[in-house]
Amino acid sequence: MRNSFDWTPYRRSTVGFDRLFDFLETGGSGAENYPPFDIEKIADDHFRITVAVAGFKPDEIDITAQQNMLNVSGRKAPAAEGEERKLLYSGIATRAFERRFQLADFVRVDSADLADGLLTIDLVREVPEAMKPHKIAIGGGTQPVIESKKAA
């Protein structure tokens, strides 16, 4: 018997944890784990996704942000004529991949970089001023009294 829990409120306020919630909801069945990735919180409104993409060049990786979805995909370019390699053992996975990250409201992609086989994507949450909480002064229902100084 499994307990049913509604993860919806948590999904709305997180960045990239959609796989974790899917894992918790399905019990881990059928979860794709390639390529591996990390999600870290740099500051209150700054996050970083790091995806291990060893063997991929920048032009073989596509990053698309649309509404609250970030899609990272990679596809190796076919080997050019005369570039074919004869591998005795192939341990570096270079198969095509696609990773989707559900982004919280007001999160945008700030930058992306590929170095040392790691793709880093920086995310920033920018909540509009009108959406931020603000204090409302209680006026008591009376008009403020304006005092004026008179010369003596």
Side-chain angles (χ1 to χ4, degrees):
M1 180 172 155
R2 290 182 43 179
N3 292 336
S4 133
F5 187 80
D6 184 18
W7 296 102
T8 306
Y10 300 102
R11 285 182 185 267
R12 281 189 234 121
S13 62
T14 58
V15 176
F17 289 98
D18 54 324
R19 296 238 183 241
L20 172 64
F21 295 123
D22 289 344
F23 178 80
L24 293 171
E25 288 173 348
T26 63
S29 60
E32 175 66 34
N33 59 5
Y34 176 78
F37 66 94
D38 291 336
I39 300 173
E40 61 184 304
K41 184 175 184 177
I42 306 298
D44 282 342
D45 291 327
H46 184 193
F47 305 89
R48 178 172 292 146
I49 298 174
T50 304
V51 184
V53 291
F56 285 87
K57 297 176 184 171
D59 61 340
E60 298 170 332
I61 298 173
D62 185 39
I63 303 170
T64 307
Q66 182 177 1
Q67 292 180 340
N68 287 15
M69 181 68 68
L70 175 66
N71 187 23
V72 180
S73 60
R75 182 170 306 282
K76 287 295 290 177
E81 189 89 18
E83 277 189 28
E84 294 181 23
R85 299 168 29 192
K86 294 183 181 180
L87 295 173
L88 299 177
Y89 175 79
S90 178
I92 300 173
T94 55
R95 65 181 185 260
F97 69 88
E98 183 174 5
R99 278 280 190 190
R100 292 177 187 252
F101 299 94
Q102 183 73 34
L103 303 179
D105 291 335
F106 311 114
V107 173
R108 68 172 178 80
V109 177
D110 188 45
S111 63
D113 190 34
L114 178 64
D116 302 326
L118 297 174
L119 173 67
T120 57
I121 304 169
D122 287 329
L123 306 168
V124 177
R125 181 174 49 180
E126 294 177 340
V127 179
E129 231 14 81
M131 301 296 286
K132 290 182 182 178
H134 56 280
K135 287 223 176 249
I136 307 296
I138 300 173
T142 61
Q143 294 286 11
V145 178
I146 301 173
E147 295 182 21
S148 60
K149 293 184 179 183
K150 295 184 179 179

